[in-house]
Amino acid sequence: MQQTILLTNQLVTGSAIAPTENNENVFIPSKVMLNKGVRVGQKVQAIVVPNMTRPDRTPWLAVSILDAAPAPQEDALAEMILDLIESDGRGTVEEIATSLNMADAKISAKLSELAASGQLVRLTCFDFPEEDA
């Protein structure tokens, strides 16, 4: 079945997740993503089949991308995030979302895109409370 999907999240592996027009998740393997050279932010026509591996998480699996709209050239959100990180030196999803008055999920998706494209380096840090001596 052919579906229009918007690539919204790309994993470190190169695979991606996208919603259909009916808001059902589609898993796009990295091989399919790389074959067409598409990236987050693009709207594409894809051939999808029922996902037999993880139907509880993503009911559809993209087996081919037929047509891809060009990715937007201007990315104001990416510029705002990069400017904020450049001025502050670092930032968590929550800090950036609060500064830009946007939803955490939107910022997280954009940060994932920036990390996947090599524009950002992602570090996972844990902060443990100091014990009183």
Side-chain angles (χ1 to χ4, degrees):
M1 162 171 48
Q2 187 171 329
Q3 288 277 347
T4 300
I5 56 177
L6 175 62
L7 303 173
T8 56
N9 192 14
Q10 189 167 15
L11 307 173
V12 176
T13 61
S15 299
I17 307 289
T20 65
E21 291 178 328
N22 296 331
N23 238 7
E24 295 179 297
N25 284 331
V26 177
F27 177 77
I28 306 106
S30 59
K31 182 174 151 184
V32 173
M33 290 286 290
L34 294 172
N35 192 26
K36 265 302 198 189
V38 294
R39 62 188 177 113
V40 171
Q42 286 182 275
K43 189 176 271 194
V44 302
Q45 291 292 318
I47 300 293
V48 298
V49 297
N51 185 356
M52 299 305 194
T53 307
R54 298 297 301 258
D56 56 318
R57 287 183 151 179
T58 51
W60 298 102
L61 171 70
V63 294
S64 177
I65 294 176
L66 304 174
D67 187 31
Q73 296 299 326
E74 295 296 319
D75 192 343
L77 179 55
E79 290 300 320
M80 288 190 294
I81 290 171
L82 293 171
D83 288 345
L84 187 62
I85 290 173
E86 186 176 331
S87 67
D88 292 350
R90 61 158 209 82
T92 65
V93 170
E94 293 81 13
E95 291 168 346
I96 295 168
T98 300
S99 291
L100 299 177
N101 195 26
M102 293 186 174
D104 287 3
K106 185 172 186 171
I107 297 301
S108 180
K110 183 54 70 176
L111 287 171
S112 292
E113 177 187 332
L114 291 169
S117 71
Q119 293 178 279
L120 272 186
V121 174
R122 177 183 300 189
L123 296 174
T124 303
C125 301
F126 299 94
D127 186 19
F128 296 105
E130 292 182 27
E131 293 184 30
D132 292 331

